[in-house]
Amino acid sequence: MSEPMRDSGLGTRDSEMKCRTARRRQTAIWERFKTVWLSAFPESRAPSPGPRLALTLCLCSLVAACGFQLRGEVKLASNLQRVYVTSSDTYGPLKHNVEAALTRAGAKIESVPGEGIAQINMTGVGVTTVVASVGANARVNQFNMVYHVDLEISDGAGKTVFEKQPIEQTRSFTFDQTQAIGTGSEQDLIRREMERDMSQAIMRKIDVLERKFSQ
């Protein structure tokens, strides 16, 4: 007689991980929608989730699936057409993402600073993990990931057109002691989403400069 199969619990943990990942993606889609909304309507407030949230998320999913980015939305001021970008995280993805977005907007990325070249400085770039809540058993059950960047922009004449200002993105995630193995991959997913959102936030600041100079 063959022994009955024993449930190792792996199937249940896999299902729970998939559910958590799906919730993270839904939240990311909503955040992306707010980013797009604020880019299109900078003077308005971001919409709040309501009865039509499901429809909104579906539309955002279609937009994301089509590879939508802020192409054509960001306009560069005449004194920001040639740009040198620096980042304290030299080899991190943020510098590459911002340079790629600037290129799509029509800027020429310079490899060295010089006369007539605007400069975008991103300092203090980094992600920190902060305890958000502790359970009754004195164990941490929720963290906040905070992505911080100090942004400063000067034009081709060397004049500071955007004073040094902090920009932060925050995301929360739940830590389950029974599923510690999957926590790392979940953090990686959140970090990639935050890196993408941060580059879009920086491009919105640059877009505001163009609107300011054109007035």
Side-chain angles (χ1 to χ4, degrees):
M1 180 180 296
S2 60
E3 294 185 2
M5 295 181 63
R6 297 178 180 178
D7 183 7
S8 62
L10 291 176
T12 301
R13 286 197 293 271
D14 287 344
S15 297
E16 291 177 351
M17 177 58 68
K18 289 178 180 178
C19 289
R20 291 171 64 189
T21 300
R23 287 195 295 270
R24 290 293 175 200
R25 288 176 177 170
Q26 185 182 53
T27 300
I29 290 172
W30 176 250
E31 292 296 330
R32 251 174 267 161
F33 171 75
K34 290 195 293 184
T35 297
V36 173
W37 180 280
L38 289 173
S39 177
F41 309 104
E43 303 300 327
S44 66
R45 290 185 177 182
S48 301
R52 298 182 181 180
L53 174 59
L55 176 59
T56 300
L57 291 177
C58 287
L59 292 174
C60 290
S61 299
L62 291 173
V63 169
C66 292
F68 178 85
Q69 297 185 6
L70 296 181
R71 300 180 188 222
E73 295 293 338
V74 174
K75 294 182 180 180
L76 299 178
S78 58
N79 54 358
L80 295 176
Q81 295 296 321
R82 298 172 62 198
V83 187
Y84 174 65
V85 181
T86 68
S87 172
S88 58
D89 185 12
T90 308
Y91 301 104
L94 179 62
K95 183 175 183 292
H96 170 77
N97 291 343
V98 170
E99 288 180 337
L102 286 167
T103 300
R104 289 194 299 270
K108 180 183 178 183
I109 305 301
E110 302 289 351
S111 58
V112 293
E115 185 178 353
I117 300 175
Q119 191 161 327
I120 296 176
N121 298 319
M122 299 178 293
T123 56
V125 179
V127 178
T128 56
T129 303
V130 182
V131 174
S133 64
V134 179
N137 57 0
R139 292 183 177 181
V140 177
N141 54 27
Q142 189 174 33
F143 290 94
N144 284 338
M145 291 180 66
V146 182
Y147 194 167
H148 177 93
V149 175
D150 290 317
L151 177 67
E152 185 177 19
I153 304 174
S154 58
D155 64 14
K159 178 184 177 182
T160 300
V161 293
F162 187 87
E163 297 288 345
K164 190 174 182 179
Q165 182 182 117
I167 303 176
E168 289 188 345
Q169 301 279 341
T170 303
R171 299 288 186 277
S172 300
F173 71 94
T174 303
F175 179 74
D176 189 338
Q177 294 284 348
T178 64
Q179 299 181 15
I181 295 177
T183 301
S185 59
E186 186 175 5
Q187 289 182 351
D188 289 342
L189 174 63
I190 295 173
R191 186 178 184 124
R192 288 194 297 270
E193 292 170 348
M194 293 176 73
E195 288 166 347
R196 180 176 55 249
D197 291 345
M198 179 60 77
S199 63
Q200 293 180 351
I202 291 173
M203 291 305 294
R204 287 200 302 274
K205 298 293 185 182
I206 295 172
D207 187 48
V208 169
L209 289 179
E210 194 281 333
R211 296 169 189 267
K212 176 182 177 181
F213 293 142
S214 62
Q215 290 180 349

